[in-house]
Amino acid sequence: MASWSPDTPCSCDCFVSVPPASAIPAVIFAKNSDRPRDEVQEVVFVPAGTHAPGSRLQCTYIEVEQVPKTHAVILSRPSWLWGAEMGANEHGVCIGNEAVWTKEPVGEGEALLGMDLLRLALERGSSAQEALHVITGLLERYGQGGSCREDPTPFCYHNTFLLADRTEAWVLETAGRLWAAQRIQAGARNISNQLSIGTDLSAEHPKLRPHARAQGWWDGQGAFDFAQAFSLTQQPVRMEAAKARFQAGRLLLQQKQGAITAEVMMGILRDKASGICMDSGGFRTTASMVSLLPRDPTQPCVHFLTATPDPARSVFKPFIFGVGAAQAPLVLSPTFGAQDPVQTLPRFQTRVDRRHTLYCRHQVALGLMESEQDRGQQLRQKQQDLEQEGLEAVRGLLAGEWAPRPQELGGLFQAFVEKESQAYA
């Protein structure tokens, strides 16, 4: 059984707005990735690929069978692992995941991490519903497990997911290999580190209710409430804190119903009073993402990523899949091959420096913001101006006022990464 204590880091928040909650005809997705404060998150672009029949794929801990074709993806991930905390694919599918503990035991045996499942779903699913089926199929075959942080002490959890595309969103919550899903076709929804699907299930594992009944968690009479049946009877301290964040996030979405934009989502991710923007002891928001998924299939989906900690003092930079889409070198962490502590057994016995260039320069900027008021204000103004430049470019693009060459569109994220890096130099 995995170790857990009240001080164990375990928080994240995901949000989605589906028209008419959105101010424009678009689905809007957002996530804060809250992780150990010294963990580096990189942004990785992986092009679409074709793969030989019978080939295998190495994930963080285990191998799975590869599929013939994989979609192009943009991923924001802890740089030590294969999967991702959040990301999108070329078809406008976005996914974020959350840690969750339920009555089902969490084992330390190595299987697929929730973050591996997320990346596999993006590479293989061309819609939110198809991506959900990818996750549940792999979960059934391989299970989920393994340490979720770069530390000799195992830290294991089960996962919930928020999946979105241009037309709808799905909440997928798991307990071991069991799962429940809820479809969102209108309105706003958020998830935090707790089960939130009650009686409104849209799909479920065929053994979910029989298992709950066999365990004595449901009497088989009346409506089946997934969260009530599978949630821990005595919630740990941080799970109680997650309830407060969940309620605060839901309120922030309700206050903006009908007027939710990408900027509104960025504001929610920056909300420190609620704890959604995390900076608590050994834990903080290490990266953030907001995606704009227009209903009009002729318009491109736009994904804003920070690649740096603390969204309140970071720049959301636009990424668009296109001909010129490529890896931005300044947000790619160094690699260590067979000598990587995650590859050598026993794992995580040593530490390596995974900081990428933008992360290093951003850390210096954060230090100046805290120690030198005038210089700090100048740097924050540069960040805000650069972010506004990106937002205005996207507005012009979606309004038809700006028609860049495909190569220019694909290189948008890299251009903004370079501008931000120069601003800190």
Side-chain angles (χ1 to χ4, degrees):
M1 197 65 175
S3 60
W4 196 96
S5 77
D7 297 321
T8 300
C10 48
S11 57
C12 279
D13 290 278
C14 290
F15 304 86
V16 71
S17 172
V18 180
S22 305
I24 57 174
V27 173
I28 305 171
F29 168 92
K31 177 178 174 178
N32 269 354
S33 174
D34 300 334
R35 301 280 302 172
R37 70 177 302 111
D38 60 347
E39 184 178 79
V40 177
Q41 200 150 146
E42 60 182 352
V43 173
V44 180
F45 170 73
V46 184
T50 56
H51 310 282
S55 58
R56 305 285 294 173
L57 174 65
Q58 179 64 51
C59 300
T60 302
Y61 296 127
I62 68 167
E63 282 188 351
V64 300
E65 77 286 353
Q66 184 57 285
V67 293
K69 292 185 178 180
T70 50
H71 309 312
V73 296
I74 188 76
L75 307 169
S76 186
R77 70 176 190 186
S79 56
W80 61 271
L81 51 76
W82 182 84
E85 275 276 292
M86 51 198 170
N89 70 20
E90 60 186 307
H91 299 289
V93 179
C94 300
I95 312 177
N97 83 309
E98 313 269 335
V100 69
W101 289 263
T102 72
K103 290 176 183 174
E104 282 294 292
V106 178
E108 294 178 8
E110 292 184 348
L112 288 173
L113 295 178
M115 292 172 278
D116 293 338
L117 290 165
L118 186 153
R119 176 173 174 177
L120 288 162
L122 288 174
E123 290 188 347
R124 302 178 181 195
S126 57
S127 69
Q129 188 171 16
E130 192 174 299
L132 183 148
H133 292 320
V134 170
I135 293 175
T136 57
L138 290 165
L139 194 62
E140 178 73 22
R141 182 165 183 182
Y142 296 102
Q144 57 183 320
S147 184
C148 299
R149 68 176 174 188
E150 194 178 10
D151 191 273
T153 304
F155 172 50
C156 308
Y157 49 75
H158 291 158
N159 291 264
T160 67
F161 302 88
L162 182 60
L163 308 93
D165 59 26
R166 292 179 184 265
T167 62
E168 64 181 13
W170 285 81
V171 174
L172 171 63
E173 300 185 338
T174 72
R177 294 179 190 240
L178 302 174
W179 56 271
Q182 179 190 14
R183 190 179 195 177
I184 299 107
Q185 295 178 288
R189 180 74 152 84
N190 63 311
I191 63 173
S192 200
N193 302 103
Q194 59 178 15
L195 299 180
S196 60
I197 299 175
T199 58
D200 48 351
L201 286 80
S202 305
E204 62 190 82
H205 191 289
K207 295 181 181 178
L208 185 70
R209 297 186 197 211
H211 181 75
R213 190 169 184 179
Q215 296 294 321
W217 303 336
W218 177 54
D219 62 8
Q221 305 298 314
F224 173 71
D225 187 312
F226 172 68
Q228 187 177 72
F230 280 83
S231 293
L232 290 166
T233 306
Q234 288 189 316
Q235 298 279 15
V237 175
R238 276 192 177 270
M239 293 286 277
E240 290 295 332
K243 284 185 180 180
R245 283 201 335 276
F246 176 76
Q247 295 297 338
R250 187 167 67 174
L251 180 60
L252 288 168
L253 288 174
Q254 288 173 348
Q255 290 171 347
K256 295 292 185 178
Q257 282 275 0
I260 298 173
T261 62
E263 295 97 312
V264 166
M265 284 296 199
M266 291 173 188
I268 291 174
L269 296 185
R270 286 170 165 148
D271 193 286
K272 294 199 172 184
S274 63
I276 291 168
C277 185
M278 171 85 54
D279 191 1
S280 174
F283 218 47
R284 69 174 170 183
T285 300
T286 56
S288 305
M289 171 179 168
V290 172
S291 292
L292 191 59
L293 315 174
R295 283 276 167 89
D296 183 349
T298 66
Q299 293 189 323
C301 295
V302 185
H303 313 284
F304 296 89
L305 303 111
T306 61
T308 55
D310 189 355
R313 296 180 294 175
S314 285
V315 179
F316 283 93
K317 300 167 284 292
F319 174 91
I320 299 175
F321 287 95
V323 176
Q327 177 64 50
L330 298 182
V331 292
L332 189 66
S333 294
T335 56
F336 301 91
Q339 305 307 310
D340 196 303
V342 72
Q343 300 292 338
T344 56
L345 297 176
R347 305 189 198 276
F348 310 125
Q349 299 304 300
T350 58
R351 299 299 296 267
V352 290
D353 187 352
R354 302 188 186 276
R355 296 175 299 168
H356 52 70
T357 302
L358 186 65
Y359 180 95
C360 292
R361 293 183 178 178
H362 180 262
Q363 287 296 103
V364 173
L366 285 186
L368 289 171
M369 288 180 197
E370 292 168 359
S371 63
E372 298 182 27
Q373 185 175 2
D374 290 344
R375 184 79 189 283
Q377 287 177 345
Q378 291 172 4
L379 283 169
R380 185 66 192 117
Q381 189 61 53
K382 284 184 178 182
Q383 288 181 327
Q384 292 169 343
D385 291 345
L386 185 58
E387 183 172 288
Q388 198 57 40
E389 182 184 338
L391 288 165
E392 289 298 329
V394 169
R395 284 194 198 98
L397 177 68
L398 297 181
E401 299 165 358
W402 177 47
R405 293 175 291 106
Q407 197 78 18
E408 187 180 359
L409 203 60
L412 198 61
F413 180 71
Q414 183 165 335
F416 273 88
V417 168
E418 291 172 355
K419 286 181 180 180
E420 182 183 1
S421 181
Q422 289 166 5
Y424 302 146

